[in-house]
Coordinates of all heavy atoms in Angstrom, one line a residue:
L94 N 131.9 47.8 145.1 CA 132.4 49.2 144.9 C 132.8 49.9 146.2 O 133.8 50.6 146.2 CB 131.2 50.0 144.2 CG 130.9 49.5 142.8 CD1 129.6 50.2 142.3 CD2 132.0 49.7 141.8
A115 N 141.2 55.1 141.6 CA 140.3 54.0 142.0 C 139.1 54.5 142.8 O 137.9 54.1 142.5 CB 141.1 53.0 142.9
D131 N 127.3 59.2 148.3 CA 128.6 59.8 148.8 C 128.9 60.9 147.9 O 129.2 60.7 146.7 CB 129.7 58.7 148.8 CG 131.1 59.3 149.1 OD1 131.1 60.4 149.6 OD2 132.1 58.6 148.7
R146 N 151.3 65.9 148.7 CA 152.6 65.4 148.2 C 153.1 66.2 147.0 O 154.3 66.5 146.9 CB 152.5 63.9 147.8 CG 152.0 63.0 148.9 CD 153.2 62.3 149.6 NE 152.7 61.4 150.6 CZ 152.6 60.1 150.4 NH1 152.9 59.5 149.2 NH2 152.2 59.3 151.4
A160 N 135.4 69.8 137.0 CA 134.0 70.1 137.5 C 133.0 70.1 136.3 O 131.9 69.6 136.4 CB 134.0 71.4 138.2
L175 N 116.9 66.1 138.1 CA 117.8 67.2 137.9 C 118.1 68.0 139.1 O 119.3 68.3 139.4 CB 117.1 68.2 136.8 CG 118.0 69.4 136.5 CD1 119.3 68.9 135.8 CD2 117.2 70.3 135.5
T190 N 137.2 70.4 145.8 CA 138.0 71.6 145.8 C 138.6 71.9 147.2 O 139.8 72.2 147.3 CB 137.1 72.8 145.4 OG1 136.5 72.5 144.1 CG2 138.0 74.1 145.3
T254 N 203.3 83.0 179.3 CA 202.2 83.6 178.5 C 201.9 82.8 177.3 O 200.7 82.6 176.9 CB 202.6 85.0 178.2 OG1 202.9 85.8 179.3 CG2 201.5 85.7 177.4
I258 N 198.4 81.1 176.1 CA 197.8 81.3 174.8 C 197.5 79.9 174.2 O 196.5 79.7 173.5 CB 198.7 82.1 173.9 CG1 198.8 83.6 174.5 CG2 198.2 82.1 172.5 CD1 199.7 84.5 173.7
T294 N 185.7 82.1 186.0 CA 186.7 81.9 184.9 C 186.8 83.2 184.0 O 187.9 83.6 183.6 CB 186.3 80.7 184.1 OG1 186.3 79.5 184.9 CG2 187.3 80.5 182.9
I304 N 192.9 93.8 183.4 CA 191.7 94.5 183.9 C 191.4 94.2 185.3 O 191.4 93.0 185.7 CB 190.5 94.2 183.0 CG1 190.8 94.6 181.5 CG2 189.3 94.9 183.4 CD1 189.8 94.1 180.5
V305 N 191.2 95.2 186.1 CA 190.9 94.9 187.5 C 189.4 94.6 187.6 O 188.5 95.3 187.1 CB 191.2 96.2 188.4 CG1 190.7 96.0 189.8 CG2 192.6 96.6 188.3
C311 N 175.6 86.0 192.9 CA 174.6 85.4 193.8 C 175.0 84.0 194.1 O 175.5 83.3 193.2 CB 173.3 85.5 193.1 SG 171.9 84.7 194.0
R330 N 179.5 85.9 178.8 CA 180.7 85.6 178.0 C 180.8 86.6 176.9 O 181.9 87.2 176.6 CB 180.6 84.2 177.4 CG 181.8 83.8 176.6 CD 181.6 82.4 176.0 NE 181.6 81.4 177.1 CZ 182.7 80.9 177.6 NH1 183.9 81.3 177.1 NH2 182.6 80.0 178.6
V336 N 184.3 93.7 176.5 CA 185.2 94.4 177.4 C 186.7 94.2 177.1 O 187.5 95.2 177.0 CB 184.9 94.0 178.9 CG1 186.0 94.7 179.8 CG2 183.5 94.4 179.3
G341 N 188.8 99.0 176.0 CA 190.0 99.7 176.5 C 189.9 100.0 177.9 O 190.5 100.9 178.5
Q355 N 163.0 87.8 188.9 CA 164.0 88.0 187.8 C 165.4 87.8 188.3 O 165.7 87.9 189.5 CB 163.9 89.4 187.3 CG 162.6 89.7 186.4 CD 162.7 91.0 185.7 OE1 163.3 92.0 186.3 NE2 162.1 91.2 184.6
D362 N 182.0 98.6 182.9 CA 183.4 98.9 182.8 C 183.6 100.4 182.6 O 182.7 101.2 182.4 CB 184.0 98.2 181.6 CG 183.5 98.6 180.3 OD1 183.7 99.7 179.9 OD2 182.8 97.8 179.6
I367 N 180.3 102.0 173.3 CA 180.1 101.8 171.8 C 179.8 103.1 171.1 O 179.9 103.2 169.9 CB 178.9 100.8 171.6 CG1 177.6 101.4 172.0 CG2 179.2 99.5 172.2 CD1 176.4 100.6 171.7
L404 N 166.4 88.5 183.2 CA 165.8 87.3 182.7 C 164.9 86.8 183.7 O 165.2 86.8 184.9 CB 166.9 86.3 182.4 CG 168.0 86.7 181.5 CD1 169.1 85.6 181.3 CD2 167.5 87.1 180.1

Side-chain angles (χ1 to χ4, degrees):
L94 293 172
D131 173 19
R146 301 264 182 97
L175 180 62
T190 304
T254 302
I258 293 176
T294 300
I304 301 173
V305 178
C311 176
R330 181 180 294 274
V336 173
Q355 285 187 332
D362 63 68
I367 64 174
L404 306 176

